[in-house]
Amino acid sequence: MTYPTGTPLDVELRSAALIVTLNRPDRVNALSRELIEALGATFRRAAQDPAVRAVILTGAGEKAFCAGADLKERKEMSRDDVRAVVRLYRSEFGVIDSSPKPVVAALNGIALGGGLELALMCDLRVAAAHVTLGLPETSLGIIPGAGGTQKLPRIVGEARAKEMILLGRRLTAEESLAWGLVNRVAPAGTSVVDAALELVAPILGGAPIAQAAALSAIDAGLDVDLATGMQLEILAYERTLVSHDRDEALVAFAEKRAPRYLGR
Ligand code: COA
């Protein structure tokens, strides 16, 4: 499949990991309408692409992952235009949120506002040591409008989410790790994309049906009561039970060799 290259989104397939790079260096990788649309189109394509086993989302350069909404574009918009962009965030970020393939944010620098909300749509987050992460919207007279008020408390808990959103508190990489906002901090001397590639290595060789089923069970279960979640788990388990990969795992175990998963 073909993917966009250059500006505002640069996409490259490296082994089975699709590296998706926000690339608007003159605007600190801020989210223009064009960039949001390109992200949605790319993740829709990746979901269908058998060559892609995981996606790594990062930003160009070392300064910023993403400075959030494009405030220059926003300044020219009517209130109705803004409503339309907020709906666009919802639909296109939703594609990332519901990706059947694991998505890792490789936070190469600052992620503020919509930039951090974009990272919250990912399944895992790896940060460079110099990152700053925050949701400063209330200091701009608005609130996070791309899922931040819902996703952040689910990830770091209510009290910490309120501290970040109400106080506009910005976290360092170490604080983000301590709060569970990121899964790893890239070790000194390792680029954050390389650290993310290392993190996803077991995913690239793993069983795609099982990974997609696990993601859907976890994500759906977060929004329902425990009994319903347990039922959802049974439905997701069933999808793995009837897969060839599940049978292959048992045969490989008996033959004392690594399984060869085919994603069927
Ligand atoms: N939208 C559009 N343009 C942006 C932007 C944004 N969100 N953030 C920065 N830029 C632009 C700046 O206006 C500047 O352009 P200019 O050279 O034409 O003046 C350029 O990107 C570089 O930004 P600058 O502020 O000079 O870089 P910096 O390294 O000093 O600071 C930030 C980087 C990201 C910390 C700072 O720009 C910032 O705080 N931006 C706003 C982030 C924000 O509040 N986002 C949440 C929106 S809800």
Side-chain angles (χ1 to χ4, degrees):
M1 289 199 192
T2 57
Y3 291 96
T5 52
T7 307
L9 200 62
D10 196 54
V11 181
E12 176 202 351
L13 187 62
R14 220 182 286 174
S15 67
L18 196 71
I19 318 277
V20 177
T21 305
L22 310 174
N23 189 24
R24 299 187 73 213
D26 54 331
R27 299 255 171 125
V28 210
N29 300 329
L31 295 161
S32 60
R33 214 184 319 221
E34 184 194 9
L35 177 52
I36 301 166
E37 283 168 353
L39 274 171
T42 295
F43 276 85
R44 281 189 183 89
R45 209 163 296 160
Q48 304 296 326
D49 188 343
V52 174
R53 300 292 302 277
V55 184
I56 293 174
L57 180 58
T58 193
E62 294 196 347
K63 180 154 79 172
F65 171 71
C66 174
D70 186 323
L71 298 175
K72 291 178 179 166
E73 187 183 78
R74 189 66 59 93
K75 192 166 173 290
E76 305 305 318
M77 288 182 181
S78 68
R79 283 182 163 72
D80 274 345
D81 291 339
V82 175
R83 289 184 185 104
V85 168
V86 170
R87 282 197 299 276
L88 187 67
Y89 272 116
R90 196 54 51 88
S91 64
E92 306 312 275
F93 278 24
V95 179
I96 301 171
D97 193 20
S98 61
S99 166
K101 302 178 183 184
V103 183
V104 183
L107 301 168
N108 53 301
I110 295 164
L112 293 176
L116 179 56
E117 291 178 288
L118 178 57
L120 297 178
M121 297 295 148
C122 302
D123 300 303
L124 302 166
R125 283 160 289 279
V126 181
H130 63 277
V131 302
T132 301
L133 308 182
L135 292 177
E137 283 89 344
T138 58
S139 67
L140 295 166
I142 52 172
I143 64 168
T149 64
Q150 303 306 304
K151 285 283 187 180
L152 189 63
R154 283 168 165 78
I155 294 169
V156 302
E158 179 189 336
R160 286 172 165 168
K162 285 180 175 167
E163 187 170 334
M164 285 184 74
I165 293 171
L166 290 176
L167 279 59
R169 175 158 173 200
R170 297 176 185 205
L171 300 188
T172 63
E174 283 308 318
E175 288 168 333
S176 301
L177 187 64
W179 281 23
L181 183 52
V182 304
N183 299 77
R184 298 266 192 292
V185 176
T190 305
S191 85
V192 71
V193 170
D194 285 344
L197 280 167
E198 200 180 309
L199 185 69
V200 298
I203 293 173
L204 302 185
I209 293 171
Q211 292 163 2
L215 283 178
S216 77
I218 294 168
D219 289 343
L222 284 171
D223 299 328
V224 296
D225 62 83
L226 183 60
T228 309
M230 294 300 227
Q231 287 303 318
L232 291 172
E233 186 184 77
I234 288 175
L235 295 177
Y237 188 90
E238 181 62 24
R239 295 206 292 279
T240 65
L241 186 58
V242 297
S243 70
H244 166 278
D245 286 347
R246 176 263 182 195
D247 297 341
E248 160 66 5
L250 290 176
V251 172
F253 180 76
E255 294 176 355
K256 299 188 187 303
R257 62 168 174 80
R260 289 183 290 272
Y261 293 123
L262 300 174
R264 55 184 169 84

